[in-house]
């Protein structure tokens, strides 16, 4: 059986040696310090010292504050809070937006338009544009690959080989009109343009499952009406994309091995009109694993945690 220091059968000499070992070990343990310079009130409260990114106006007039500025990236946590005007994220979810845009990959240095020859092959993601006249054939982005702001018909088109390691994207409606939903590739956090209660979906799972009714996204049981609705930001319970929150346990990578905390291309995505389609729209009930906000620091009195039932 396991012996404890207070166990009467535990030898006194061993107890003394153990206590000495622990005391000495403590001297050599690394001290974990945070490089965040913001106070809790500045991170989660109302004190404003210019730490927040400029707000984005969503299509419905609500305001999104897309996280902290680059110099405060060490202060990020994976959550958000509601404001009188809309939502405020505690992390910059669009930090890597450029990598999820087509122009980034239309670059010969990455393999685009290169000629693989007869025996060669294209770099990861690119495909040769045929075999006949192979000496002139080039590596192209396949037509099945879609990028931020582009029309799509399935989640897999957006979360493609080019993007999947660098940004969490999905295919979601961007127009609150059932007759003209305008499905586009968006960052996961921007997938709430249309209320999930606008329609119902079906699939074989009890609580949630992938459904064609949701264009490859999750169909989730709601406790509000006990019906299933499309949740474009949700992931399967035991798998899923990387997280746009750099403070999470499975954050998306920066391209080329760069330090993710030093990267911020959100302004490129915002100026191109492919970031900030809409605020989040949540369904209560079954606590799905919501990758974009499930990890990191928590402030339960101020921060809305993604695993909470809304």
């Amino acid at each position: 059986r396991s012996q404890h220091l207070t166990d009467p059968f535990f030898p006194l000499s061993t107890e003394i040696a153990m206590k000495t070992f622990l005391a000495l070990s403590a001297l050599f343990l690394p001290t974990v310090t945070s490089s965040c310079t913001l106070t809790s009130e500045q991170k989660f409260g109302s004190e404003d010292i210019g730490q927040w990114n400029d707000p984005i106006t969503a299509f419905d007039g609500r305001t999104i504050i897309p996280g902290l500025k680059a110099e405060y990236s060490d202060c990020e946590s994976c959550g958000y809070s509601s404001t009188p005007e809309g939502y405020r994220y505690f992390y910059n979810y669009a930090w890597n937006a450029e990598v999820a845009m087509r122009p980034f990959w239309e670059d010969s240095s990455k393999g685009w338009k290169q000629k693989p020859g007869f025996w060669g092959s294209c770099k990861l993601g690119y495909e040769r544009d045929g075999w006949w006249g192979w000496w002139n054939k080039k590596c192209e982005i396949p037509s099945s690959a879609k990028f931020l702001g582009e029309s799509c018909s399935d989640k897999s088109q957006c979360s493609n080989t080019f993007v999947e390691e660098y940004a969490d994207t999905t295919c979601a409606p961007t127009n609150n009109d059932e007759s003209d939903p305008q499905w586009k590739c968006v960052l996961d956090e921007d997938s709430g343009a249309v209320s999930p209660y606008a329609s119902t979906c079906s699939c074989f799972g009890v609580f949630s499952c992938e459904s064609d009714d949701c264009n490859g996204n999750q169909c989730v049981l709601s406790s509000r009406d006990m019906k299933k609705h499309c949740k474009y930001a949700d992931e399967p319970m035991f798998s899923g994309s990387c997280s746009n929150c750099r403070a999470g346990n499975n954050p998306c990578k920066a391209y080329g091995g760069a330090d993710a905390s030093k990267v911020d291309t959100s302004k490129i995505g915002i100026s191109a009109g492919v970031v900030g389609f809409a605020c989040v729209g949540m369904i209560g009930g079954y606590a799905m694993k919501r990758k974009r906000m499930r990890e990191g620091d928590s402030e339960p009195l101020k921060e809305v945690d993604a695993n909470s039932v809304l």
Side-chain angles (χ1 to χ4, degrees):
R1 62 186 175 91
S2 299
Q3 289 179 312
H4 189 269
L5 295 180
T6 59
D7 191 327
F9 297 99
F10 200 64
L12 180 60
S13 58
T14 304
E15 178 180 348
I16 295 173
M18 181 65 73
K19 288 182 177 180
T20 303
F21 170 77
L22 292 175
L24 291 174
S25 297
L27 296 176
F28 298 98
L29 288 176
T31 302
V32 179
T33 58
S34 173
S35 55
C36 176
T37 58
L38 298 177
T39 66
S40 181
E41 183 64 23
Q42 291 166 348
K43 288 171 61 177
F44 305 108
S46 58
E47 185 178 351
D48 190 345
I49 59 170
Q51 70 272 39
W52 302 104
N53 282 314
D54 294 336
I56 307 169
T57 301
F59 85 103
D60 57 2
R62 290 187 293 177
T63 299
I64 307 170
I65 299 177
L68 296 161
K69 291 180 178 178
E71 56 265 36
Y72 300 108
S73 62
D74 289 333
C75 301
E76 291 186 338
S77 62
C78 303
Y80 66 93
S81 65
S82 60
T83 67
E85 297 79 23
Y87 288 89
R88 180 178 63 184
Y89 282 89
F90 299 137
Y91 63 101
N92 181 359
Y93 67 83
W95 67 274
N96 216 19
E98 184 184 23
V99 185
M101 298 169 62
R102 183 176 292 272
F104 183 84
W105 297 101
E106 291 179 335
D107 181 349
S108 59
S109 68
K110 298 181 178 72
W112 184 61
K113 296 294 185 181
Q114 290 184 0
K115 294 182 179 181
F118 185 79
W119 297 107
S121 59
C122 296
K123 291 184 178 180
L124 184 66
Y126 298 96
E127 294 180 358
R128 66 168 65 230
D129 59 353
W131 283 94
W132 181 254
W134 57 265
W135 52 90
N136 284 323
K137 294 304 178 182
K138 298 178 181 180
C139 295
E140 302 283 1
I141 297 173
S143 59
S144 60
K146 306 297 181 182
F147 298 88
L148 287 183
E150 297 181 0
S151 298
C152 57
S153 58
D154 191 88
K155 176 183 174 70
S156 61
Q157 295 176 324
C158 306
S159 184
N160 54 61
T161 304
F162 295 98
V163 177
E164 59 185 353
E165 285 188 306
Y166 306 110
D168 184 8
T169 61
T170 191
C171 180
T174 58
N175 185 33
N176 203 7
D177 183 347
E178 192 172 348
S179 63
D180 183 25
Q182 298 180 24
W183 293 81
K184 293 182 180 181
C185 292
V186 299
L187 291 173
D188 207 52
E189 288 79 357
D190 285 332
S191 63
V194 177
S195 169
Y197 292 100
S199 60
T200 58
C201 55
S202 61
C203 58
F204 291 108
V206 177
F207 298 111
S208 67
C209 45
E210 184 178 309
S211 173
D212 290 339
D213 295 340
C214 305
N215 288 33
N217 289 286
Q218 292 295 298
C219 180
V220 182
L221 180 67
S222 169
S223 61
R224 179 187 296 184
D225 58 7
M226 296 310 296
K227 295 179 181 179
K228 288 180 179 177
H229 303 275
C230 295
K231 282 306 303 298
Y232 308 106
D234 279 7
E235 294 290 333
M237 180 56 68
F238 300 107
S239 64
S241 306
C242 62
S243 172
N244 290 327
C245 178
R246 290 172 286 192
N249 291 330
N250 184 34
C252 295
K253 300 177 182 178
Y255 184 79
D259 182 351
S261 67
K262 307 301 182 185
V263 176
D264 182 9
T265 62
S266 57
K267 285 183 170 58
I268 296 175
I270 293 170
S271 63
V274 298
V275 172
F277 278 99
C279 302
V280 291
M282 307 292 267
I283 282 185
Y286 181 58
M288 281 290 294
K289 178 184 70 175
R290 297 185 174 94
K291 59 197 174 304
R292 68 188 188 281
M293 289 169 265
R294 69 175 182 256
E295 301 148 343
D297 299 332
S298 62
E299 290 285 330
L301 296 179
K302 298 174 182 176
E303 178 179 356
V304 178
D305 179 68
N307 285 324
S308 63
V309 178
L310 300 178

